[in-house]
Amino acid sequence: MTNGSWRNEVQLTDIQRSQANRSGEEGRRVKMSKFVDKNIDDGLILSGYQKKFNTMKKKFFVLYKETAQDCARLEYFDSIKKFKSGTAPKRVVKLENCFNINRRLDTKYDFVIALATKDGGFGIVLDSETEMLKWLQALLSLQRSTTNQYETSSKFDHVWQVVVQKKSLAEERKIIGNYHVCLSPKAVTFIRIGPEKSSSGYIRTTDIQIPLNTIRR
């Protein structure tokens, strides 16, 4: 190989390496911009690490408003890394399915938000009153902007999940199995959790309200 051909080959190799580097950088820039675009206008309102009520494990929560593409919802992931990577959320709570969102005062934790849906309940434990109020106000605002079969307001002071046994009045009223027991100043309301038909084929009442002045103490 002559000196001239060796120099030409070196120059050609340098040009190819430079072009490859530029191509790689452009590819990375395009990928990053897609990631940013994906999260800019998707309705995200609030996000941050909070604790799940049942396990007290930290999860990354994300709150979305309603958009043309999707409904208002609360999602959580194991970590912010999982969220950013596009991993499917561990759980999605659609706010249109929530019949009650309120602060819980009957636990040993000071700052708890409870969401009650026809599929069950969900609780978030926050670190401060300021943080709790910020999330609670955002959740209630989004809930009231949706439409569902219940009045979109937190009309119950307390909500518990119970298993009602098949006995006497419960059997007569067809209130059997998993229910929310919801307490307001004037009544106690049972709201069914899960499907209308039980595994044994028993048809369960959707909801029933009992005025407090009719309950013997």
Side-chain angles (χ1 to χ4, degrees):
M1 180 183 296
T2 65
N3 289 339
S5 61
W6 179 82
R7 283 195 297 271
N8 289 338
E9 186 173 339
V10 170
Q11 291 173 352
L12 182 58
T13 302
D14 289 341
I15 292 172
Q16 290 173 333
R17 187 182 297 113
S18 175
Q19 290 175 338
N21 288 340
R22 283 198 301 270
S23 176
E25 289 173 359
E26 288 173 0
R28 285 192 293 272
R29 282 198 297 268
V30 169
K31 185 176 181 180
M32 183 179 294
S33 65
K34 284 183 179 179
F35 174 76
V36 172
D37 290 345
K38 176 179 178 295
N39 290 279
I40 282 179
D41 193 26
D42 59 358
L44 190 152
I45 289 181
L46 279 175
S47 65
Y49 278 100
Q50 312 296 346
K51 296 185 184 76
K52 281 183 63 183
F53 177 70
N54 289 338
T55 64
M56 288 304 291
K57 291 184 177 179
K58 276 196 172 185
K59 302 294 179 181
F60 188 74
F61 285 84
V62 186
L63 179 62
Y64 293 92
K65 66 180 180 180
E66 184 176 7
T67 65
Q69 289 74 37
D70 215 332
C71 61
R73 65 201 185 278
L74 177 70
E75 301 179 349
Y76 79 80
F77 302 78
D78 284 331
S79 66
I80 189 173
K81 183 178 180 181
K82 292 287 183 68
F83 165 66
K84 288 185 174 181
S85 69
T87 303
K90 299 289 287 186
R91 183 170 179 178
V92 178
V93 179
K94 296 181 178 180
L95 299 188
E96 65 184 359
N97 293 334
C98 293
F99 64 83
N100 209 73
I101 299 175
N102 67 312
R103 178 182 182 179
R104 281 193 64 173
L105 298 171
D106 59 343
T107 79
K108 64 180 180 180
Y109 306 110
D110 292 327
F111 312 113
V112 180
I113 296 175
L115 298 88
T117 77
K118 58 185 179 182
D119 298 317
F122 188 77
I124 310 170
V125 181
L126 299 101
D127 292 331
S128 68
E129 184 172 18
T130 300
E131 189 74 0
M132 182 201 66
L133 290 175
K134 180 170 67 174
W135 280 81
L136 181 58
Q137 289 166 3
L139 284 163
L140 288 173
S141 176
L142 293 176
Q143 182 206 28
R144 291 180 183 125
S145 68
T146 63
T147 302
N148 57 54
Q149 63 181 347
Y150 301 99
E151 299 262 335
T152 52
S153 61
S154 294
K155 55 184 179 180
F156 302 117
D157 297 327
H158 301 283
V159 179
W160 301 276
Q161 290 187 56
V162 301
V163 178
V164 183
Q165 301 298 318
K166 189 177 180 181
K167 295 180 180 179
S168 60
L169 183 61
E171 183 175 10
E172 180 185 329
R173 298 293 183 93
K174 298 182 179 179
I175 311 171
I176 308 295
N178 293 318
Y179 274 80
H180 289 293
V181 177
C182 311
L183 181 64
S184 70
K186 295 183 178 181
V188 59
T189 303
F190 290 81
I191 298 177
R192 188 185 68 225
I193 298 174
E196 179 182 21
K197 184 180 291 188
S198 69
S199 57
S200 59
Y202 194 86
I203 302 299
R204 305 190 300 142
T205 299
T206 301
D207 58 73
I208 186 170
Q209 184 179 92
I210 303 172
L212 290 180
N213 59 13
T214 65
I215 299 177
R216 288 181 295 179
R217 300 181 182 181

